[in-house]
């Protein structure tokens, strides 16, 4: 999509949510976030997209190592990553910080950030490890309706 065709972006410098674009659970999380982010703070990119890979590389997010899938699986390092305020958050830290930025009562979930990340991430990793089996996967990432598409990054927007 060219800049001329793209509607005005509500927040070009806002936090970026990277998600597994072929995971039904992850795509559902994005569909959950969008209507609860009425201010349009969050922007989105699938981990498998050019923009997602560039953001990961630029932030030094490891695609191998503890907790990452084996390279032969071709799977992304996590199901959900938040890039905000110059920092990169993964797993439950990303999910709770996203909740903190939503409208309504969702920010109250941020109280769980006081629990040490290794404990919070036990449940997160269990669900993430089983997400394809429980929720399925798509062969390609589906694009959102036109109105919401302005919040999704493409490679030309993130050098």
């Amino acid at each position: 999509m060219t800049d001329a065709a793209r509607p005005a972006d509500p927040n070009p410098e806002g936090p970026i949510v990277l998600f597994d674009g072929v995971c039904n659970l992850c795509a559902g999380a994005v569909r959950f976030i969008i209507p609860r982010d009425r201010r349009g703070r969050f922007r989105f990119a699938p981990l498998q997209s050019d923009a997602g890979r560039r953001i990961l590389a630029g932030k030094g997010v490891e695609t191998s190592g503890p907790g990452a899938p084996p390279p032969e699986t071709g799977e992304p390092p996590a199901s959900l990553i938040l890039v905000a305020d110059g920092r990169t958050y993964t797993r439950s830290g990303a999910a709770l910080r996203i909740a903190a930025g939503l409208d309504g009562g969702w920010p109250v979930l941020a109280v769980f950030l006081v629990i040490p990340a290794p404990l919070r991430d036990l449940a997160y990793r269990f669900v993430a490890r089983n997400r394809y089996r429980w929720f399925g996967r798509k062969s390609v990432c589906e694009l959102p309706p036109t109105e919401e598409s302005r919040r999704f990054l493409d490679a030309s927007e993130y050098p």
Side-chain angles (χ1 to χ4, degrees):
M1 178 181 285
T2 66
D3 288 333
R6 188 181 221 42
D9 197 324
N11 190 3
E13 301 300 320
I16 300 169
V17 176
L18 300 171
F19 65 100
D20 182 347
V22 298
C23 169
N24 288 332
L25 176 63
C26 304
V30 171
R31 286 191 304 272
F32 177 86
I33 294 167
I34 289 173
R36 289 160 184 83
D37 177 27
R38 291 187 294 267
R39 295 170 287 163
R41 290 185 61 230
F42 294 104
R43 295 173 48 152
F44 306 92
L47 288 161
Q48 297 88 343
S49 69
D50 288 339
R53 285 191 292 270
R54 286 182 181 178
I55 293 167
L56 287 175
K59 297 297 179 183
V61 175
E62 294 205 21
T63 57
S64 62
E72 64 272 8
T73 66
E75 296 300 329
S79 55
L80 192 67
I81 297 173
L82 174 66
V83 178
D85 303 319
R87 298 197 55 199
T88 303
Y89 303 97
T90 60
R91 300 180 187 87
S92 64
L96 292 171
R97 283 174 176 84
I98 291 168
L102 297 178
D103 298 312
W106 297 104
V108 75
L109 293 176
V111 301
F112 291 107
L113 286 168
V114 300
I115 299 170
L119 292 176
R120 287 191 327 255
D121 287 343
L122 286 173
Y124 186 94
R125 287 177 196 239
F126 179 72
V127 172
R129 195 173 325 126
N130 293 290
R131 68 188 190 261
Y132 294 141
R133 186 171 357 149
W134 295 343
F135 300 97
R137 69 186 291 171
K138 303 174 229 174
S139 57
V140 296
C141 179
E142 296 175 10
L143 294 177
T146 306
E147 175 62 27
E148 298 166 353
S149 67
R150 71 178 191 266
R151 297 179 63 186
F152 285 72
L153 302 174
D154 65 21
S156 65
E157 295 176 79
Y158 202 91

